[in-house]
Amino acid sequence: MRQVKAETINLLPTPDYSSIYTPGAIQPHGILFALQLPELTILKVSQNTDLYFETPANELIGRSLETILTRSQIEDIQQGFAENLGTLNPINLSIRNQDFKAIVHRSETTAILELESIYTSPSDPHTLTRKAVAKLQKTRTLDELLQQVVVEVHQLTGLDRVHIYQFDEQGAGAVVAEKTREDLPSYLGLHFPAFDIPSESRELYRNSLVRFVPDINAEPIQIIPNGHELDLRATVLRSLDPCCTRFYQHLNSAALFVIALIKDQQLWGLISCHHQTPNWLSYDIRSACELLGKFVSLELTHKVDHEEFNHWIKLKSLQSELIESISQTQNLRDALITPAPRLLDLVSAQGAAICLDNEMTLVGATPTESEISHLLTWVEDHIRDSLFHTDALPKLYPPAEAFKQIASGVLLLRISQVQTYYVLWFRPEVLQTIEWAGNPTVSIEVAENGSLSVSPRSSFEKWQEIVQSTSLPWKSYELNSVLELRSAIVGIVLKKADELASLNLALEQSNRELDSFAFAASHDLKEPLRGIYNNSIILLEDYADRLDPEGIEGLQTTVRLSQRMEMLVNTLLRFSQLGNVELHLKPTDLNEILAETIEMLQASRPDIPFDIRIPRSLPTIECDPVLINEVFSNLVSNAFKYNTQDHPWAEVGYLTQDELATLHPPRQESTPSVFYIRDNGIGIRSHHCDLIFKLFKRLHAQEDFNGGTGAGLTISKKIVERHGGQIWVESTYREGSIFYFSLH
Ligand code: ADP
């Protein structure tokens, strides 16, 4: 036994077996006729007729079958051809004192009649089959069933070696149950590469269900005349392909009997019986075994499905718990990872990563965040129908070699393409030792021109292949399960988005209504207010001499209050207009806007030296210049208003790309999008930072800082939001503030 590392053997080429259906010869334990319908003229015949009825084959060509059969036998055969379902097979025939089983099949134009010599079996196959079925019915698991099958078939056939051979998805097989003569070596657990039983042979088994070769070494009998070889796919006497013959010879087998096991119309496996010496099984025994094979196929389908069903039920309950959590929460990430094992159990993974936009959450054993980010970039081109999965990632994506111990297997589910939402599951490397029946690589011969061909290897001594960088494979029901999870998530998220959209719509509607109410109210208030003011002024100017000092003071208060009220009404009017006003977006040089702002400020307060610092020239951006001017004015004037320093200053600038990345959440924009106004003013206590953006909210009495109505920041906020941006403040009390606003 040798230990080697090798790439998986299943990748080896399959030899040409195309002549397997048309070998032009049969096995010697019977005769084969190709007949012309309807007269049953002999078109072709195997060359061994003289052995059975003393008439040489070449003398039969072109003659009617009546030359050798009686009228009533011909009628039976004709009926068999007419019925063409094979249910009349076999027909018992006695020809010149020799007993045969006659088997008929037909294609479009040609009919084939096979005559097989009769062998009687000592045992009664029907009783044995009944007993076998009764025992098989009692088995509970698939393993028990298969083990019992080999015991029963061994008993029915008496052959040396009976094993069940199960195919994998690539067509390679493994011996999964065995009953063998005690002195023979065991093949249990051994793997056979796909080319040992090529797809052509597998196709034959799928259609014919049983194959009997009583003497592998017997010389095949040619069918004459040759040329236009007959398709012998449906025949029982078809001779063995020379390549197959050598394969069985190397396995030390002299007789072969194979029963196909079918699941979901696919060849699931074979009950393969070998004998070291030639061995003839009666037709009845073979039919009994065929029947048993059909029963096993049904039972095995039931058992496999049942085992998968149990697992599937477990999976379903995990899945529905997960979906319920998702539907009840606002936070998809939390719903997926609480509790963490549930997400892993869903597909029997050891690790998972949830990537929601730029945020990544890791659960269990996973590669690092940066390794996963790189993997995500690569995988993008390999996703099909929202899924990517492999059980051998390092073979497809070499950087995975570095983390193959934890992630040789990857299953990726894309939840949303627009939002780059992914869930990835990881499975660790499982070093699999595959025991092959003989080193399959020695079967490969390289010709001088470099082409590869396969010839049966002569040794079946156990040979180990260690498969690396591979995880356990992802099962199809696991893939289906995550796809179902995706639909559920998408459904829930969409429903939530819908609800949010209709809420927003309602909110927008009520905002609009509020705006127009505010507009109407403030507009209507202006006139009476002006009246109160004007009348008070007239009273003060013309009737002051008739009023006592208290009356005058009262009137002066009325004037002041009406002025103040007018200011408030104007602010409200401005604010309510902002919601409806159309934006006039155009490329705007912010340096110019800032210069205008400074000029205006300077004009209104010529006494203050406005120290405004501009570390780097401001960009030109797409915005409404009039409105953005208002934002700059508000923020810059506040910087000097709320400032008690001897040398007040303000700095106006924008964040660089590096600085943008440090924001929470980080931003990645190539053009400047976040602007700031920093001052060395009085600062704002942190719990007031949100309050100041509310309408008419001031932190100080109006007269304290020569403040306004407390609407400047609210208006700035509304303008910034109308531009799709945000405004916020960072401040240290008594040291200064930075007002940021973003524009898209
Ligand atoms: P106003 O128009 O009355 O100045 P704002 O809406 O502009 O009102 O400001 C609201 C409140 O926020 C102000 O009353 C002031 O207390 C505070 N504030 C605004 N800007 C600054 C700043 N740069 N430094 C400190 N406090 C500020």
Side-chain angles (χ1 to χ4, degrees):
M1 201 196 295
R2 285 192 299 144
Q3 281 221 334
V4 287
K5 291 177 188 172
E7 283 303 302
T8 179
I9 308 300
N10 284 336
L11 300 176
L12 294 175
T14 312
D16 179 18
Y17 282 100
S18 51
S19 65
I20 209 164
Y21 306 141
T22 53
I26 58 163
Q27 301 179 60
H29 62 282
I31 309 168
L32 182 139
F33 295 93
L35 304 164
Q36 171 86 58
L37 286 172
E39 303 83 11
L40 300 186
T41 314
I42 300 171
L43 299 174
K44 282 177 181 270
V45 64
S46 56
Q47 246 180 342
N48 54 352
T49 50
D50 49 352
L51 272 179
Y52 295 94
F53 5 93
E54 289 154 11
T55 317
N58 53 358
E59 287 178 20
L60 290 170
I61 305 291
R63 294 174 66 184
S64 164
L65 204 55
E66 283 183 35
T67 320
I68 44 172
L69 298 187
T70 65
R71 190 66 244 158
S72 86
Q73 286 173 328
I74 298 260
E75 275 165 19
D76 286 350
I77 285 169
Q78 259 163 341
Q79 202 184 337
F81 284 133
E83 182 258 357
N84 197 32
L85 285 173
T87 48
L88 294 184
N89 286 331
I91 304 160
N92 286 321
L93 286 185
S94 182
I95 309 170
R96 301 188 191 161
N97 294 330
Q98 291 243 24
D99 290 332
F100 293 97
K101 294 275 184 196
I103 302 144
V104 295
H105 339 260
R106 57 175 281 194
S107 63
E108 287 293 299
T109 49
T110 326
I112 289 180
L113 167 67
E114 295 179 272
L115 299 179
E116 198 190 272
S117 307
I118 287 193
Y119 306 98
T120 46
S121 58
S123 49
D124 168 16
H126 300 292
T127 317
L128 284 176
T129 318
R130 257 203 324 277
K131 282 188 188 159
V133 168
K135 284 190 200 157
L136 293 177
Q137 267 173 331
K138 285 198 186 124
T139 59
R140 282 166 302 132
T141 63
L142 180 65
D143 285 346
E144 272 181 37
L145 171 76
L146 300 181
Q147 200 42 54
Q148 194 60 41
V149 171
V150 287
V151 171
E152 298 306 323
V153 173
H154 185 255
Q155 201 174 1
L156 260 164
T157 59
L159 298 179
D160 288 341
R161 184 190 277 291
V162 179
H163 49 240
I164 293 181
Y165 186 85
Q166 184 188 349
F167 293 109
D168 67 15
E169 276 159 19
Q170 283 80 35
V175 177
V176 291
E178 177 183 69
K179 173 75 187 158
T180 187
R181 227 176 61 196
E182 273 169 14
D183 55 322
L184 296 177
S186 167
Y187 289 162
L188 192 63
L190 288 192
H191 286 68
F192 289 77
F195 56 69
D196 276 353
I197 301 187
S199 58
E200 292 83 352
S201 292
R202 292 199 295 270
E203 189 54 28
L204 281 173
Y205 285 127
R206 210 168 67 83
N207 291 315
S208 309
L209 299 185
V210 286
R211 174 80 165 126
F212 177 47
V213 185
D215 185 358
I216 282 166
N217 301 309
E219 205 47 49
I221 306 293
Q222 295 303 312
I223 298 170
I224 58 159
N226 55 19
H228 297 297
E229 296 308 348
L230 283 176
D231 185 339
L232 298 184
R233 235 176 277 219
T235 65
V236 291
L237 289 174
R238 187 184 69 250
S239 75
L240 200 61
D241 182 272
C243 201
C244 299
T245 307
R246 269 182 288 148
F247 176 78
Y248 291 113
Q249 282 167 343
H250 292 155
L251 276 173
N252 280 336
S253 301
L256 175 73
F257 176 49
V258 183
I259 309 152
L261 296 176
I262 308 286
K263 177 178 179 291
D264 302 328
Q265 281 149 25
Q266 298 299 319
L267 188 65
W268 180 91
L270 301 171
I271 306 173
S272 181
C273 315
H274 295 213
H275 206 70
Q276 288 203 309
T277 52
N279 194 306
W280 279 263
L281 292 173
S282 75
Y283 192 92
D284 290 345
I285 289 280
R286 283 183 279 141
S287 318
C289 287
E290 184 177 343
L291 200 70
L292 203 66
K294 284 182 183 162
F295 173 79
V296 175
S297 291
L298 280 177
E299 199 55 24
L300 127 105
T301 304
H302 170 72
K303 289 211 157 63
V304 172
D305 289 350
H306 190 69
E307 281 177 15
E308 282 185 358
F309 184 70
N310 280 345
H311 194 81
W312 185 80
I313 290 282
K314 212 178 104 205
L315 215 91
K316 272 276 158 204
S317 86
L318 280 178
Q319 195 193 49
S320 53
E321 275 176 35
L322 199 61
I323 291 171
E324 199 180 320
S325 309
I326 295 168
S327 64
Q328 283 169 1
T329 172
Q330 292 299 327
N331 187 324
L332 177 61
R333 189 193 68 109
D334 286 354
L336 285 170
I337 60 164
T338 330
R342 185 174 60 190
L343 183 66
L344 302 181
D345 289 348
L346 188 71
V347 290
S348 305
Q350 303 288 307
I354 298 160
C355 309
L356 305 179
D357 284 330
N358 293 320
E359 213 183 305
M360 195 183 294
T361 310
L362 304 181
V363 175
T366 65
T368 64
E369 281 198 19
S370 106
E371 284 166 338
I372 296 174
S373 299
H374 286 107
L375 173 66
L376 280 177
T377 317
W378 171 83
V379 98
E380 201 43 55
D381 298 334
H382 299 78
I383 301 176
R384 299 279 169 275
D385 300 328
S386 304
L387 268 194
F388 167 79
H389 67 96
T390 173
D391 56 8
L393 185 65
K395 286 187 190 132
L396 303 175
Y397 173 69
E401 192 63 33
F403 50 83
K404 64 177 186 178
Q405 273 96 343
I406 35 179
S408 280
V410 169
L411 165 57
L412 173 139
L413 175 71
R414 178 163 61 198
I415 296 172
S416 159
Q417 202 162 8
V418 187
Q419 289 177 286
T420 54
Y421 276 21
Y422 298 101
V423 183
L424 294 98
W425 286 271
F426 304 104
R427 277 186 183 168
E429 177 182 41
V430 178
L431 286 178
Q432 294 177 62
T433 305
I434 300 192
E435 299 197 319
W436 294 96
N439 179 353
T441 53
V442 303
S443 309
I444 307 297
E445 285 166 6
V446 185
E448 271 180 14
N449 64 6
S451 67
L452 298 173
S453 62
V454 177
S455 69
R457 54 201 176 279
S458 52
S459 164
F460 286 86
E461 191 195 348
K462 218 183 262 180
W463 184 87
Q464 289 188 333
E465 180 198 19
I466 299 181
V467 179
Q468 296 187 317
S469 310
T470 304
S471 72
L472 293 179
W474 303 98
K475 304 252 172 54
S476 58
Y477 56 81
E478 290 168 333
L479 303 182
N480 286 339
S481 167
V482 298
L483 278 176
E484 281 169 24
L485 180 69
R486 178 181 181 276
S487 328
I489 294 176
V490 170
I492 293 166
V493 171
L494 278 184
K495 197 165 148 249
K496 284 193 175 154
D498 252 14
E499 286 167 6
L500 213 64
S502 57
L503 266 179
N504 275 343
L505 209 71
L507 212 64
E508 230 173 66
Q509 175 77 9
S510 68
N511 267 345
R512 258 204 309 274
E513 281 163 12
L514 216 63
D515 278 350
S516 49
F517 170 74
F519 181 78
S522 42
H523 189 266
D524 292 354
L525 274 176
K526 276 183 85 148
E527 217 182 279
L529 208 56
R530 202 84 312 248
I532 295 171
Y533 174 82
N534 289 343
N535 281 334
S536 305
I537 293 288
I538 291 170
L539 279 175
L540 273 178
E541 283 175 0
D542 299 350
Y543 298 88
D545 50 342
R546 288 186 233 171
L547 293 171
D548 60 13
E550 254 178 62
I552 292 177
E553 206 187 307
L555 269 178
Q556 283 170 337
T557 309
T558 309
V559 168
R560 226 183 26 255
L561 284 179
S562 61
Q563 275 179 318
R564 163 124 184 86
M565 193 141 172
E566 192 179 8
M567 239 165 84
L568 287 175
V569 166
N570 281 340
T571 309
L572 197 62
L573 199 61
R574 173 83 190 111
F575 182 73
S576 57
Q577 274 172 337
L578 272 179
N580 300 317
V581 73
E582 205 183 310
L583 292 187
H584 297 288
L585 297 178
K586 57 178 172 192
T588 306
D589 182 352
L590 293 182
N591 298 300
E592 283 174 18
I593 298 283
L594 185 60
E596 275 172 34
T597 306
I598 299 171
E599 202 180 332
M600 252 166 52
L601 281 177
Q602 201 64 71
S604 65
R605 299 290 306 270
D607 53 314
I608 304 179
F610 283 102
D611 176 1
I612 296 180
R613 303 167 185 183
I614 306 167
R616 44 184 168 248
S617 169
L618 298 178
T620 295
I621 58 158
E622 183 92 349
C623 65
D624 184 320
V626 177
L627 296 181
I628 293 302
N629 187 327
E630 202 167 335
V631 175
F632 272 109
S633 298
N634 275 326
L635 297 179
V636 176
S637 68
N638 279 352
F640 289 92
K641 245 193 317 191
Y642 302 103
N643 201 318
T644 51
Q645 300 283 345
D646 293 340
H647 299 290
W649 55 258
E651 181 184 306
V652 182
Y654 61 87
L655 297 188
T656 61
Q657 283 198 34
D658 288 349
E659 289 162 341
L660 283 175
T662 63
L663 291 178
H664 295 289
R667 295 169 71 114
Q668 272 186 327
E669 274 133 69
S670 49
T671 50
S673 59
V674 175
F675 303 89
Y676 67 87
I677 285 102
R678 182 204 303 270
D679 63 46
N680 62 342
I682 59 171
I684 303 161
R685 286 190 172 93
S686 60
H687 60 277
H688 285 146
C689 283
D690 286 337
L691 201 68
I692 54 173
F693 293 101
K694 301 230 160 79
L695 190 58
F696 302 137
K697 283 282 180 220
R698 285 182 321 205
L699 301 180
H700 311 94
Q702 199 175 9
E703 46 286 359
D704 281 355
F705 288 97
N706 197 16
T709 52
L713 287 178
T714 320
I715 288 176
S716 302
K717 182 168 184 259
K718 189 131 187 179
I719 294 174
V720 168
E721 284 173 353
R722 287 294 317 269
H723 280 77
Q726 283 170 304
I727 187 165
W728 69 100
V729 62
E730 281 172 14
S731 185
T732 311
Y733 187 54
R734 294 198 169 129
E735 282 182 24
S737 315
I738 314 176
F739 281 82
Y740 293 95
F741 65 92
S742 60
L743 294 175
H744 283 280

